[in-house]
Amino acid sequence: MSTQIPSAPRRRDPWRTIWQIVTSDGLLVVLLLATAAGLLAAAWLPQLPAADPAAYARWFSETQARFGKATQTMQSLGLFAVARSFGFRALLALLASTLFLRLVERGGRFLSDAERRAWSDLFPLLAHGGGLVLLAGLLVTHLWSWRVEGLIVQSSAQVPIPGTESWVALEENTSKLVHSAGVVAHVEAHGPGVRVSAVDGQGNVLTLQHAAEPALLAELTLALAKGQHFAIPDAQLIAQLTPQAGRPVKAQTPVLVQVYRYPPIQLATETIVEGDAELTVDDVTLRLVSVPYAQVTATFNPGLWPTGIGIVLAVVGLAGSIVRSVHRSRTGEED
Amino acid sequence: MGYATPLIGLSLGALLTALGLALWNRFRQVSGLPPAIRAIKWTAAGLLLATTPLVWIESHPALILHLTLAAAIATPPVGRHHHLPWRDAMTVLPALALAGAGFFLDTGFARFEGHTISPMSLTVAVYGGLAARVLGEALSTLANPAAPVSRLFDALYLLLTLLVGANALAVLWQQGVVWEASPGESGLPGVWLAWSAAWLIPRARARLKAGLIAVAAILLIALALGTG
């Protein structure tokens, strides 16, 4: 008669437990839901504008009107700057870590189990890898990219991007943007603009003085995003150019031109011009050549390619995983 | 008031009738009711589909167009004929809510500002309609976890993944960044992450999966209407 000796109870390996939790679907679900909540909060709550005192003042008054006394509380919780909050960044870091560990686990299983390996098992690996590359691309974007908004570009003259060695311009005779290497530029808006010159009755070129610059110039190029004015000191004339209100401002928006004599200031003539025009006041001929402007945003992003590759890999991996799971569940049902 | 509003009202009435008959069938099991419910749903779907271009032609606000379009997609009873307890009633509810909201907003019970209609907003409205169908099935599963599960959730998740990926690549190509370029547009990726979380939950946990699918579907519907 033999007696069975009860085996010693297996000690639970805490590292294995931690590994199973970290690579579990449950943790990934929680992280995805938390990240989704952050992104949805950023979409539905007004977010703090980038460093711009005027925009911040406008944003603050609108937000306070909308949320009242809750504004301060919501601001201290970081709900108005979700993407820049420590919590959201920590969440993305946790998500990246989880994806990496899951990739290691599934990759190891894929490589070690040669008998049951199938090509379709690559799709989950692609999805995880793509997600990691995408997050890495977003990190590079956050650390090393820059973005400049509101650049006014007219004609083919290169406009330097402040604080950088890059530039943007409009191609000659077209409205196509050209720029220095590595920059991505896109047009936010078009609007009317003019190149102004003036001659007197004898054909002598008269100098012009723009309000924003003290220098006297033979020719001025003005972008008419809003009204602009300039003086012709030799003829004692001031001209004001205003894009027509009441319609969306486009490249061919008509412009109201008003010319005043001074002193004393009195209106000499006013007319609406569309495209090229010539005005004569006293014996001064004002020539206006239409030079529409483009309001451009320029971006430099070294993380552009990793982000794009990550998106492609993640989409392909996920699409394959979805099709694979549907096929497997259908095969399971048929069995 | 043009022709669209009365048609929306008629389809709302048809959906209410379908809901009433479905609830009556749930408690009394009257033979012949399930095919009648199906016919009424198809009638409502036809009315809503005919109303959608009218809403656009008569220049109703974009939100009404999105609600009508989503309801038209959510209503037809396609797929296998499973007349299970609660299923017929639950699958009507989202379409009823969408059509009802469209009718009451269109008859002036609330003031709201509309947005311009764009290809992207119409696409998201279509997705919202599909999400309403998924919501109906999720509610049906919550009421009866043993009910067979359709592939609609997986199909819509696949379509949503392709839409989000394509949109992200387009923004990246045009503007050089995905995130800072359009902070107000993080709603669609956020909804997609919620759908991803729902997809990860195993089918064996039917009620948990259905609950999360319902939440994700409501978020997508809200996003679709928010662009209108």
Side-chain angles (χ1 to χ4, degrees):
Chain A
M1 193 164 94
S2 63
T3 52
Q4 278 190 323
I5 302 167
S7 57
R10 286 181 65 183
R11 255 190 289 172
R12 290 183 70 180
D13 184 355
W15 291 111
R16 180 173 290 277
T17 306
I18 291 170
W19 178 260
Q20 285 170 348
I21 292 171
V22 165
T23 56
S24 67
D25 286 348
L27 179 63
L28 185 58
V29 166
V30 168
L31 289 175
L32 288 175
L33 286 175
T35 311
L39 289 175
L40 289 169
W44 284 327
L45 297 173
Q47 299 296 288
L48 266 171
D52 179 358
Y56 175 80
R58 193 167 49 244
W59 171 87
F60 189 76
S61 66
E62 285 170 3
T63 306
Q64 202 149 38
R66 186 174 161 189
F67 295 103
K69 290 178 186 171
T71 308
Q72 286 296 333
T73 311
M74 292 171 75
Q75 193 162 10
S76 57
L77 286 172
L79 292 174
F80 297 132
V82 171
R84 296 196 286 272
S85 66
F86 172 77
F88 190 74
R89 290 173 181 178
L91 200 54
L92 291 181
L94 270 175
L95 186 59
S97 312
T98 304
L99 285 175
F100 176 71
L101 292 174
R102 286 168 63 96
L103 181 63
V104 166
E105 194 219 17
R106 280 155 179 75
R109 225 189 294 160
F110 177 81
L111 292 171
S112 62
D113 198 356
E115 283 178 7
R116 290 194 293 178
R117 197 186 301 169
W119 282 111
S120 60
D121 293 337
L122 271 176
F123 287 117
L125 296 177
L126 268 182
H128 284 80
L132 272 174
V133 173
L134 169 60
L135 288 170
L138 291 177
L139 179 63
V140 171
T141 300
H142 170 67
L143 291 175
W144 290 299
S145 73
W146 50 256
R147 185 177 160 85
V148 177
E149 298 177 349
L151 292 167
I152 301 293
V153 183
Q154 279 178 292
S155 74
S156 56
Q158 289 183 0
V159 174
I161 299 173
T164 72
E165 293 176 0
S166 306
W167 52 266
V168 288
L170 285 174
E171 210 171 58
E172 193 84 44
N173 298 326
T174 70
S175 56
K176 192 182 163 195
L177 268 180
V178 290
H179 47 77
S180 49
V183 170
V184 176
H186 82 279
V187 177
E188 300 278 7
H190 286 283
V194 290
R195 184 174 297 124
V196 185
S197 58
V199 294
D200 62 14
Q202 285 78 45
N204 301 318
V205 172
L206 298 173
T207 52
L208 311 174
Q209 185 176 31
H210 188 219
E213 290 172 44
L216 294 168
L217 301 166
E219 201 175 68
L220 278 178
T221 304
L222 302 172
L224 300 177
K226 52 183 181 180
Q228 302 269 3
H229 58 273
F230 61 91
I232 310 173
D234 294 338
Q236 291 184 307
L237 294 173
I238 293 174
Q240 177 147 348
L241 292 85
T242 315
Q244 281 288 277
R247 54 179 94 179
V249 176
K250 293 179 184 172
Q252 303 307 324
T253 294
V255 176
L256 174 66
V257 181
Q258 296 165 307
V259 182
Y260 299 85
R261 291 188 197 90
Y262 71 92
I265 292 181
Q266 57 177 170
L267 182 67
T269 186
E270 68 174 1
T271 185
I272 293 175
V273 302
E274 204 166 337
D276 300 348
E278 246 184 40
L279 294 178
T280 304
V281 178
D282 301 337
D283 67 341
V284 174
T285 301
L286 209 57
R287 290 196 188 107
L288 302 159
V289 176
S290 173
V291 183
Y293 76 86
Q295 187 175 318
V296 170
T297 296
T299 307
F300 171 74
N301 181 10
L304 188 145
W305 279 103
T307 307
I309 290 168
I311 291 170
V312 171
L313 288 177
V315 169
V316 169
L318 269 172
S321 300
I322 295 165
V323 171
R324 173 177 165 263
S325 80
V326 168
H327 176 72
R328 282 189 177 180
S329 64
R330 188 179 295 160
T331 313
E333 281 172 11
E334 283 168 359
D335 288 344
Chain B
M1 187 188 290
Y3 297 103
T5 309
L7 284 174
I8 298 175
L10 274 174
S11 55
L12 179 62
L15 287 168
L16 278 169
T17 306
L19 177 65
L21 290 176
L23 288 172
W24 190 14
N25 188 47
R26 161 70 181 88
F27 293 110
R28 295 293 181 97
Q29 268 96 53
V30 178
S31 65
L33 264 185
I37 295 168
R38 201 173 167 79
I40 292 170
K41 282 186 184 179
W42 273 112
T43 305
L47 283 170
L48 285 166
L49 212 56
T51 308
T52 304
L54 277 177
V55 168
W56 184 51
I57 289 166
E58 291 174 4
S59 301
H60 290 248
L63 178 59
I64 307 299
L65 177 65
H66 290 191
L67 282 165
T68 314
L69 180 59
I73 292 167
T75 305
V78 293
R80 285 181 263 181
H81 303 191
H82 287 298
H83 295 294
L84 297 165
W86 292 115
R87 187 183 179 89
D88 284 337
M90 291 300 175
T91 50
V92 170
L93 282 177
L96 181 64
L98 289 169
F103 180 72
F104 283 105
L105 288 173
D106 201 31
T107 48
F109 278 85
R111 290 192 175 276
F112 56 95
E113 286 179 13
H115 299 273
T116 52
I117 297 168
S118 66
M120 186 63 177
S121 74
L122 280 177
T123 305
V124 179
V126 169
Y127 277 61
L130 293 171
R133 299 187 70 88
V134 170
L135 175 62
E137 291 185 0
L139 291 175
S140 171
T141 304
L142 281 171
N144 180 14
V149 178
S150 80
R151 307 275 177 243
L152 185 59
F153 169 71
D154 295 309
L156 187 52
Y157 178 48
L158 176 60
L159 289 175
L160 195 58
T161 301
L162 293 173
L163 176 70
V164 170
N167 189 50
L169 284 173
V171 171
L172 188 67
W173 180 257
Q174 288 173 354
Q175 301 186 27
V177 289
V178 169
W179 181 266
E180 284 95 352
S182 47
E185 304 289 333
S186 60
L188 190 56
V191 168
W192 174 78
L193 284 174
W195 279 69
S196 301
W199 182 71
L200 278 170
I201 295 181
R203 285 182 189 274
R205 307 194 68 178
R207 273 216 161 104
L208 176 62
K209 191 174 180 81
L212 204 46
I213 288 173
V215 170
I218 290 170
L219 287 174
L220 183 52
I221 294 167
L223 181 75
L225 300 180
T227 60

